């Protein structure tokens, strides 16, 4: 039997290595979320001047706090499923999928040599999570909890002032915030 030497054959430390890598991925993956202290800064709350100001705030805040908002909606959904054990099991399995495909990825997701945008991954995972949870016959509970989560996110995004947020240009362009602007080239 030939030994190629590129695949490690010792299995003693592999589980510890895996746990160490998972721990690092969790730290780096959750590092993209904004500090909750900034999210809940009450000095940054205020009523928008008008409807267009509210829409601008929502767009900016959703781009800036995307990870925090996803965590908040998932937490509300989790809390609503505590009285539905089958739905809770499905939710935990889907949460593991969320962790590996959205929260803990170091690099962009590539399928069939195509790079998949984070927004597409977020949308597909959201739809799949809802479909699988709806198959557990907790439909009303799930829909109400997701609706509550979305309303909470929209209210926060509309009330949170954007003056103290600093988006990097690449993230702003991905969020569609600099669509008509062009930056000077050095």
């Amino acid at each position: 039997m030939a030994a190629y030497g590129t695949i490690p054959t010792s299995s003693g430390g592999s589980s510890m290595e895996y746990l160490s890598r998972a721990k690092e991925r969790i730290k780096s993956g959750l590092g993209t979320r904004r500090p909750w202290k900034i999210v809940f800064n009450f000095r940054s709350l205020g009523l928008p001047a008008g409807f267009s100001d509210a829409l601008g705030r929502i767009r900016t805040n959703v781009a800036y706090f995307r990870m925090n908002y996803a965590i908040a909606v998932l937490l509300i959904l989790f809390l609503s499923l505590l009285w539905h054990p089958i739905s809770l099991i499905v939710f935990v399995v889907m949460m593991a999928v969320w962790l590996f495909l959205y929260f803990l990825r170091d690099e962009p997701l590539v399928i069939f040599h195509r790079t998949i945008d984070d927004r597409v991954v977020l949308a597909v995972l959201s739809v799949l999570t809802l479909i699988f949870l709806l198959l557990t016959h907790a439909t009303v509970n799930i829909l109400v909890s997701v609706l509550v989560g979305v309303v909470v996110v929209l209210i926060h995004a509309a009330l949170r002032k954007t003056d103290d947020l600093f988006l990097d240009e690449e993230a702003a362009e991905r969020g569609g915030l600099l669509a008509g602007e062009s930056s000077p080239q050095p």
Side-chain angles (χ1 to χ4, degrees):
M1 183 170 256
Y4 296 103
T6 58
I7 300 173
T9 56
S10 66
S11 61
S14 65
S15 64
M16 290 306 289
E17 290 173 18
Y18 177 76
L19 291 175
S20 176
R21 281 184 297 182
K23 183 178 177 183
E24 287 303 314
R25 287 184 72 196
I26 287 171
K27 284 182 180 178
S28 67
L30 291 178
T32 59
R33 72 168 170 79
R34 306 299 179 178
W36 292 104
K37 187 175 168 181
I38 295 174
V39 175
F40 295 116
N41 183 1
F42 293 114
R43 293 182 183 150
S44 296
L45 295 178
L47 293 175
F51 185 70
S52 63
D53 185 33
L55 288 178
R57 283 185 184 188
I58 290 171
R59 204 165 67 190
T60 302
N61 284 327
V62 166
Y64 192 79
F65 295 117
R66 181 180 351 185
M67 184 72 72
N68 299 78
Y69 287 157
I71 291 170
V73 171
L74 290 173
L75 179 65
I76 291 170
L77 182 59
F78 173 79
L79 292 175
S80 75
L81 294 176
L82 288 177
W83 292 272
H84 299 277
I86 300 294
S87 299
L88 192 58
I89 292 169
V90 170
F91 181 77
V92 168
V93 168
M94 286 306 297
M95 192 61 188
V97 173
W98 273 84
L99 284 172
F100 288 107
L101 292 181
Y102 187 72
F103 291 116
L104 302 180
R105 273 187 301 117
D106 299 49
E107 301 170 0
L109 183 63
V110 177
I111 299 176
F112 298 120
H113 305 292
R114 291 183 174 256
T115 302
I116 309 299
D117 186 43
D118 275 348
R119 291 176 288 189
V120 173
V121 174
L122 179 66
V124 168
L125 284 176
S126 298
V127 168
L128 285 177
T129 302
L130 285 177
I131 288 172
F132 290 145
L133 287 173
L134 292 175
L135 291 175
T136 64
H137 304 294
T139 307
V140 173
N141 192 20
I142 293 165
L143 293 178
V144 168
S145 65
V146 169
L147 182 64
V148 167
V150 168
V151 167
V152 166
V153 165
L154 288 176
I155 288 173
H156 179 271
L159 294 178
R160 175 72 166 77
K161 296 176 190 171
T162 58
D163 302 340
D164 61 340
L165 304 180
F166 301 103
L167 285 172
D168 60 330
E169 287 187 29
E170 184 180 324
E173 286 178 13
R174 278 195 316 260
L177 300 175
L178 298 177
E181 301 176 15
S182 63
S183 58
Q185 298 294 326

